Amino acid sequence: MNLSLLFEIMLIGLLGIGSQWVAWRYRMPAIVVMSVTGLIIGPIFGWINPQEDFGDLYNPIISVAVAIILFEGSLNLRFKELSDLGKPVFRISTIGAFIAWILGSLTAHYIAGLSWAVAFVIGGLFIVTGPTVIMPLLRQSKLKPRPAKILKWEGIIVDPIGALLAVFAFEIIAFLTSDNPSGEKLLIFFAASVFAAIFGWACGKGIGYVFERGYIPEFLKSPAVFIVVILCFTIPDEIVHETGLLSVTAMGLTLANMGISSVIEMRHFKENMSILLISAIFIMLTASLQMETLLQIFSPNIIGYVLLMMFAVRPLSIFLSTIGTNLTLNEKLLVGWIAPRGIVALTVSSYFAGILLEAGYEDATLLTTLTFGLVFFTVLAHGFTIGPLAKKLHLSMEGRPGTLIVGSNRFTVEFAKTLMKAETPVIIVDSSWRKLRLAREAGIPFYHGEMLSEQTEYHLDTMPYDYLIAASDDPFYNSLICTTFMPEYGRTNVFKLSPYDQMNINSTGEIVPKVAGRVLFKEEVTMTGLNDMLRRGFVFRHTAITEQFRFKHYVKEKDNDTIFLYLIKPSGQIKYFTEDLKVAPEVGDIIVSITPPTKEQAKIQAKIEQTKNGKK
């Protein structure tokens, strides 16, 4: 099919984001959907072949995209996260990587039938996992913080190490097989690696310095960082291939740990860019494969190699390297299983396939097949099993979507009780120990700290909570909370109580209601009003919607002062009633409301009368 290059770019972007949406909608691993989509439009139906169609631009596009993705991932690596995980992360990234290299090389030689030279190159390359495959899996699986942090740190740190190990192995092979062996190339390689790390650190420090001094305006900060990332990757990579990955990782780590607010603010933008690039690159790489490569994957030696890498090499490297650490057996089992390979393995292996073939190693023709076989099978296996395995090992936060409430007062405590009654995770956060007294006495889970503080980010586990409600006494603070956490929770999952004060409606009416967060319940329902209702004896009610008692009947019978708070679906999902997000209760739903005491008293009286009549 002859498509214009412009149409092909549009198609790749559309299918990439479409695959992400399908994966989100049907709770499937995104990398699996993207890989299958690429295979369908590429080798299976032959609609596009990006490698041929893009020509000389193909490799630079992939390389720059990988650099940006790796930088974005390393921008999330802050050393404070390693307060109790430094030792296992260091062991896995060094000793574990070395063990995986040796065992993987032996497996490639004896099982896949590769020569020693090619086996050691591919063995070094296959220790990588990387943010392109790990981040989508972590986003999907909702792991507990410890195993999630280990997999994230390993994926980002080992990514450049694996590429450099492959280069190192090739340089050693070239040195040993040369007619006139010289250590010059090896020295250049080591010098280039050190230069790449220092250059990345300098780029990070430099961009941080100009940000802190205000030498770059806000609207230019994101473009400036992207250009510096490309600069940071390109210069070392031009000296020695793949050292650019080390450089951008060093740059990201440096910036992440400088504590610059501007960098933290642009992180969500970079995450969005990373998702777009990952989607496009997976489609491009899989669509560029040949049908012969796909068929060759199912040969016995390739399948045997892949199985040993998954079930022997990876678990052994993790268990041996983490001896003496504080990792539990379940954590070792999970980390020892999850190691999907991704973009870096595919791109770097194609580079080495050409280099090794030129050097006379004919078995290097198997590299692309072997790489894609490992990538595809690990993506499938780990993508579909990480969730169930994490649940089985009790390392998953999967469960009913919880609610995080900012602000402790009488209403939020009583409101949290209704959520606990519905077996829904809930926590109240407040910086005032005095205000938290109500939560403590009621047995509500709480966190004492400032929600906007950096320390809270490290000490408060927000994974179980899909919704955030800002319900402090200060409407301006509530809006600030919503604005800050909207990118993390999503626009439809961040709420605030109405800022309108019935006694002074004009004071905040023009500003606060327009800033972030959906207004819960109704605009006229304020914090003052809700606390006043509780003082007047209003009660919380759980009302089931049935075939006999549908929502329209409930609306007809309810008291005019009744306020609908939220409904609980049979699946456990919560839907909050808001002014601008209409909720349509269905049969099987439970509506939680706050009602006048007269309604409850009438209900109790009716039960008493019914009991008396029954006795008569």
Side-chain angles (χ1 to χ4, degrees):
M1 183 180 293
N2 294 321
L3 302 174
S4 70
L5 194 58
L6 178 61
F7 187 87
E8 190 168 325
I9 292 172
M10 179 277 296
L11 183 63
I12 290 169
L14 185 65
L15 291 175
I17 297 302
S19 298
Q20 291 273 8
W21 182 85
V22 169
W24 166 79
R25 180 67 178 81
Y26 297 102
R27 299 182 65 81
M28 299 170 64
I31 47 180
V32 173
V33 180
M34 290 185 289
S35 299
V36 171
T37 302
L39 292 176
I40 290 172
I41 66 172
I44 294 177
F45 288 108
W47 293 341
I48 64 172
N49 187 329
Q51 190 167 11
E52 290 182 1
D53 300 336
F54 283 73
D56 293 339
L57 287 175
Y58 179 78
N59 287 328
I61 288 173
I62 297 292
S63 297
V64 169
V66 170
I68 293 172
I69 293 166
L70 192 55
F71 168 76
E72 189 277 325
S74 60
L75 204 60
N76 294 310
L77 300 181
R78 282 171 286 180
F79 294 123
K80 289 183 179 179
E81 289 185 355
L82 297 179
S83 55
D84 63 335
L85 294 175
K87 188 175 181 180
V89 167
F90 177 77
R91 290 273 200 89
I92 291 170
S93 302
T94 53
I95 299 171
F98 181 77
I99 294 172
W101 178 31
I102 300 301
L103 294 179
S105 302
L106 293 172
T107 306
H109 176 69
Y110 288 108
I111 304 300
L114 299 179
S115 63
W116 281 113
V118 178
F120 269 93
V121 170
I122 204 70
L125 180 60
F126 282 168
I127 70 169
V128 305
T129 51
T132 59
V133 283
I134 285 296
M135 294 306 184
L137 287 187
L138 296 181
R139 195 178 296 118
Q140 157 211 337
S141 59
K142 281 193 171 183
L143 292 183
K144 287 185 176 179
R146 278 171 58 91
K149 288 176 183 177
I150 290 172
L151 288 171
K152 180 181 74 172
W153 274 84
E154 182 207 6
I156 295 168
I157 291 175
V158 174
D159 224 27
I161 291 176
L164 289 175
L165 268 181
V167 177
F168 172 69
F170 176 75
E171 294 295 343
I172 289 289
I173 292 161
F175 173 76
L176 295 175
T177 58
S178 175
D179 294 333
N180 297 307
S182 170
E184 184 180 347
K185 285 190 175 181
L186 283 176
L187 288 174
I188 291 174
F189 167 72
F190 285 116
S193 300
V194 173
F195 167 75
I198 295 174
F199 187 69
W201 171 84
C203 287
K205 281 291 185 181
I207 202 75
Y209 176 82
V210 296
F211 277 13
E212 286 182 320
R213 291 291 187 276
Y215 293 145
I216 297 180
E218 291 297 324
F219 73 94
L220 279 181
K221 284 184 175 179
S222 289
V225 169
F226 274 107
I227 293 302
V228 174
V229 168
I230 296 172
L231 166 77
C232 185
F233 171 78
T234 304
I235 291 179
D237 211 64
E238 287 293 305
I239 298 171
V240 171
H241 201 64
E242 303 310 325
T243 55
L245 297 178
L246 177 63
S247 188
V248 294
T249 303
M251 178 182 170
L253 269 169
T254 303
L255 274 173
N257 291 280
M258 287 180 70
I260 302 171
S261 59
S262 299
V263 174
I264 296 171
E265 289 165 6
M266 68 174 70
R267 184 178 296 134
H268 295 294
F269 172 70
K270 295 195 182 311
E271 286 175 356
N272 294 337
M273 283 297 299
S274 182
I275 290 172
L276 178 62
L277 291 172
I278 288 172
S279 306
I281 291 175
F282 255 102
I283 298 290
M284 290 173 65
L285 288 172
T286 51
S288 298
L289 293 169
Q290 302 296 320
M291 184 58 74
E292 297 78 36
T293 302
L294 293 180
L295 296 176
Q296 201 175 22
I297 288 172
F298 297 99
S299 59
N301 61 329
I302 301 292
I303 292 178
Y305 172 77
V306 170
L307 292 176
L308 277 174
M309 288 290 289
M310 292 170 62
F311 291 96
V313 173
R314 171 66 177 182
L316 273 173
S317 66
I318 295 299
F319 273 84
L320 291 175
S321 64
T322 55
I323 293 173
T325 65
N326 61 352
L327 292 188
T328 65
L329 176 61
N330 284 359
E331 288 171 336
K332 291 180 181 180
L333 287 171
L334 182 68
V335 175
W337 169 244
I338 302 300
R341 275 61 169 193
I343 291 171
V344 172
L346 279 172
T347 54
V348 180
S349 69
S350 63
Y351 164 77
F352 277 110
I355 296 293
L356 289 166
L357 282 172
E358 288 179 9
Y361 297 98
E362 295 182 2
D363 56 334
T365 53
L366 277 176
L367 282 189
T368 302
T369 303
L370 203 63
T371 305
F372 184 73
L374 188 63
V375 168
F376 191 70
F377 284 120
T378 54
V379 161
L380 278 175
H382 300 151
F384 280 111
T385 60
I386 185 172
L389 180 62
K391 287 181 183 178
K392 188 75 175 176
L393 297 174
H394 307 293
L395 295 174
S396 173
M397 301 300 298
E398 196 69 57
R400 291 197 170 193
T403 298
L404 188 153
I405 303 173
V406 180
S408 178
N409 49 63
R410 185 174 180 182
F411 169 74
T412 57
V413 169
E414 295 299 325
F415 184 76
K417 284 182 182 179
T418 69
L419 291 168
M420 291 183 68
K421 181 180 178 181
E423 298 181 352
T424 296
V426 64
I427 190 169
I428 294 178
V429 179
D430 204 302
S431 59
S432 169
W433 189 251
R434 180 181 60 81
K435 290 182 179 179
L436 281 171
R437 180 178 60 84
L438 292 172
R440 299 199 309 272
E441 292 175 350
I444 306 296
F446 66 90
Y447 176 81
H448 177 228
E450 171 53 59
M451 191 63 194
L452 296 174
S453 168
E454 185 181 2
Q455 295 303 316
T456 300
E457 183 179 352
Y458 298 117
H459 296 105
L460 175 62
D461 179 19
T462 59
M463 264 305 209
Y465 311 108
D466 290 43
Y467 307 102
L468 183 145
I469 296 176
S472 74
D473 299 327
D474 185 346
F476 297 98
Y477 179 72
N478 292 340
S479 292
L480 180 60
I481 289 287
C482 292
T483 303
T484 303
F485 290 96
M486 188 177 291
E488 181 178 340
Y489 284 86
R491 187 172 297 274
T492 58
N493 294 343
V494 174
F495 307 95
K496 63 183 177 184
L497 287 180
S498 175
Y500 286 107
D501 189 330
Q502 293 174 345
M503 301 301 293
N504 190 10
I505 198 167
N506 293 323
S507 62
T508 59
E510 294 299 318
I511 302 175
V512 181
K514 311 299 181 187
V515 181
R518 295 178 181 273
V519 174
L520 270 178
F521 320 139
K522 296 179 181 180
E523 285 193 346
E524 60 268 23
V525 179
T526 64
M527 175 64 74
T528 303
L530 288 167
N531 283 320
D532 182 60
M533 289 177 185
L534 292 176
R535 279 192 293 270
R536 288 190 286 135
F538 275 58
V539 294
F540 291 92
R541 289 187 61 192
H542 290 68
T543 306
I545 303 301
T546 64
E547 290 286 355
Q548 294 74 28
F549 188 71
R550 292 182 177 270
F551 182 59
K552 60 182 180 181
H553 300 136
Y554 185 24
V555 172
K556 186 177 180 180
E557 291 185 9
K558 76 176 181 66
D559 191 282
N560 289 333
D561 291 330
T562 295
I563 299 171
F564 294 142
L565 305 178
Y566 61 91
L567 65 81
I568 308 170
K569 308 293 285 185
S571 63
Q573 182 184 11
I574 289 179
K575 288 186 177 293
Y576 287 99
F577 286 90
T578 67
E579 191 73 34
D580 56 349
L581 191 65
K582 301 304 178 185
V583 177
E586 300 171 345
V587 173
D589 295 346
I590 296 175
I591 297 178
V592 179
S593 60
I594 183 169
T595 64
T598 51
K599 186 78 175 180
E600 192 68 17
Q601 289 167 2
K603 185 180 176 183
I604 294 170
Q605 188 62 39
K607 285 184 178 180
I608 293 173
E609 293 295 330
Q610 188 177 4
T611 304
K612 286 181 179 179
N613 293 334
K615 286 180 179 180
K616 290 179 181 179

